[in-house]
Amino acid sequence: MRSLDEFASGKLAALQGARLLRTPVVTARQGIYAERGGRRLVSFSCNDYLNLSRHPAIIKAAVEAAERYGAGAGASRLVTGNHPLYDQLESRLCRLKRSEAACVFGAGYLANVGIIPALVGPDDLILVDELSHACLNAGAKLSGAAVQRFRHGDAAHVELLLARHRAAHPRTMIATDGVFSMDGDLAPLAELSRLAARFDAWLFVDDAHGLGVVGQGRGSTFANGAADVPLQMGTLSKAVGAYGGYLCASQPVIDLIRTRARPFIYSTGLPPPVVAAAIAALDIIASEPGYVAEPLRKARMFARAMNLPPAQSAIVPLILGESDAALAASATLEREGFLVVAIRPPTVPKGTARLRFAFTAQHPDAEIERLATAVHRCILRSQS
Ligand SMILES: *Cc1c(COP(=O)(O)O)cnc(C)c1O
């Protein structure tokens, strides 16, 4: 065997042994349903919180944009890929996030690995919540700045780290998820923004799971009164139902990002149909507050039925511990007709493998009740 294949096979065997091997499973989504291996399951493992990826008006906008502007952008935005729809998308983001300017990237992941190194470098300091998303950590690492992880959601720990380390660095960033992707809780943004002001640090919030769901759809920055967040980042791939990442910030910051963030400079612009879909989706988010409130209402209903703490977003975790336990629970729910994917390390810390339930506007209340009953009967009872 060639050394390359030998290397890959060895790694795979080790992952399989630790029950950490992951493979994409063919899944046909249709609204709240997911079809796998010929079976139709009610899915609680999709981030399309408002079911907008299937909305007729949004699909129509995408089709029309494909016909008018083509299937692809043809070049990066700084060359000829900046088609006319980008301006419309960025101005809608500004309006929704109440920011001066906005910049759209190819994906949320690309946004984070682009924005952070464009703003901080090797002399600087980044404080990152320990449960922040992988791409926030990737951006921090790529920047070359000193990285200090703070205890999850712990503003007092941030204060301690700032008091200890801030003076040694010209620039400091505090970076956190707004809604934590695997836990569903909110970052303490009011406290963090006060600390940022006191220590002259720049607060960066990744709101991938907040936009369209909390703060009347404006995101976590607006969830508990409006916090002062100068760097509001997020994705267009979750509640917006399309694809792409964004940063909302002041005009000078956005102008700098557009000329310095490498994934913006060196990667092709988004396909016009994707941008058109995001525009149509943001129009719905801005104009239908009742619909936008539904995923959180459903998540709260489930959390109540499970005797869990009140849900703060559309995400409710049920932590089971070892990967085996999470995989077995997922398989049990699949037999009951539910798709709830097990989340394992390295996506979550060791020993906290879990089921992650994601609720969408169109999950019928009756299905949520049936799910809660099944979890009680099949998983919690067999554990105790
Ligand atoms: C999904 C996610 C991203 C990545 O966004 P994509 O647009 O899917 O690349 C970034 N941050 C968080 C917190 C996420 O959950």
Side-chain angles (χ1 to χ4, degrees):
M1 205 192 272
R2 280 199 291 192
S3 64
L4 172 60
D5 294 335
E6 211 169 299
F7 164 77
S9 306
K11 278 271 191 195
L12 286 170
L15 287 168
Q16 178 68 285
R19 305 279 279 146
L20 293 177
L21 188 65
R22 301 172 66 174
T23 50
V25 180
V26 176
T27 307
R29 287 199 308 116
Q30 176 76 57
I32 61 164
Y33 299 101
E35 204 177 293
R36 285 186 159 189
R39 271 193 79 206
R40 198 167 89 139
L41 305 165
V42 181
S43 170
F44 291 92
S45 287
C46 185
N47 302 321
D48 189 6
Y49 300 118
L50 297 170
N51 312 95
L52 294 183
S53 74
R54 289 278 175 171
H55 193 290
I58 294 171
I59 292 171
K60 185 160 172 277
V63 169
E64 283 171 5
E67 282 166 357
R68 180 145 183 220
Y69 299 107
S76 77
R77 294 186 58 190
L78 291 174
V79 182
T80 56
N82 196 40
H83 49 81
L85 296 171
Y86 264 118
D87 265 354
Q88 294 180 37
L89 176 55
E90 286 169 348
S91 58
R92 274 170 178 75
L93 283 166
C94 289
R95 214 177 307 149
L96 190 67
K97 307 294 282 178
R98 301 202 171 116
S99 70
E100 199 176 25
C103 173
V104 168
F105 286 80
Y109 197 109
L110 291 175
N112 277 349
V113 298
I115 297 160
I116 299 173
L119 296 175
V120 290
D123 294 335
D124 303 325
L125 171 67
I126 307 183
L127 306 181
V128 189
D129 187 291
E130 63 185 348
L131 294 186
S132 286
H133 192 263
C135 60
L136 227 144
N137 288 299
K141 197 165 172 188
L142 208 54
S143 74
V147 178
Q148 297 268 353
R149 283 153 64 90
F150 59 89
R151 284 192 295 273
H152 175 53
D154 188 342
H157 192 207
V158 174
E159 183 172 9
L160 191 97
L161 291 170
L162 286 169
R164 195 177 290 162
H165 300 290
R166 173 67 187 93
H169 302 273
R171 287 165 293 271
T172 292
M173 180 182 277
I174 303 169
T176 181
D177 288 16
V179 172
F180 286 86
S181 56
M182 298 299 137
D183 294 80
D185 56 337
L186 302 187
L189 295 185
E191 286 100 316
L192 293 180
S193 69
R194 273 195 293 276
L195 288 170
R198 203 171 113 208
F199 287 89
D200 183 27
W202 304 338
L203 183 56
F204 177 101
V205 175
D206 176 338
D207 212 22
H209 298 275
L211 182 72
V213 177
V214 300
Q216 295 82 49
R218 295 177 195 276
S220 58
T221 306
F222 300 88
N224 299 311
D228 181 13
V229 179
L231 298 162
Q232 298 189 72
M233 174 271 165
T235 179
L236 304 170
S237 66
K238 287 165 183 159
V240 178
Y243 200 65
Y246 66 85
L247 176 68
C248 287
S250 68
Q251 193 66 55
V253 168
I254 293 299
D255 289 345
L256 177 67
I257 291 298
R258 286 188 170 143
T259 190
R260 297 299 292 171
R262 298 175 69 86
F264 184 85
I265 304 170
Y266 296 110
S267 187
T268 302
L270 282 167
V274 169
V275 177
I279 292 169
L282 289 176
D283 286 346
I284 290 170
I285 290 170
S287 62
E288 297 189 26
Y291 188 67
V292 162
E294 282 295 287
L296 180 56
R297 185 180 74 75
K298 310 267 178 191
R300 287 202 170 132
M301 186 182 154
F302 177 72
R304 208 163 36 240
M306 295 295 303
N307 293 320
L308 292 167
Q312 295 179 279
S313 70
I315 302 160
V316 179
L318 182 65
I319 296 174
L320 296 168
E322 294 313 309
S323 293
D324 268 342
L327 288 168
S330 176
T332 302
L333 289 181
E334 190 163 331
R335 282 193 291 277
E336 300 287 318
F338 300 112
L339 178 60
V340 187
V341 174
I343 308 285
R344 294 171 276 163
T347 304
V348 292
K350 267 207 180 87
T352 70
R354 66 195 67 187
L355 293 178
R356 171 189 183 272
F357 300 89
F359 295 89
T360 74
Q362 289 176 16
H363 279 115
D365 290 358
E367 286 294 343
I368 296 172
E369 281 160 20
R370 197 166 74 83
L371 173 70
T373 307
V375 175
H376 274 299
R377 178 167 42 85
C378 306
I379 298 169
L380 299 182
R381 188 164 303 165
S382 72
Q383 277 206 325
S384 55

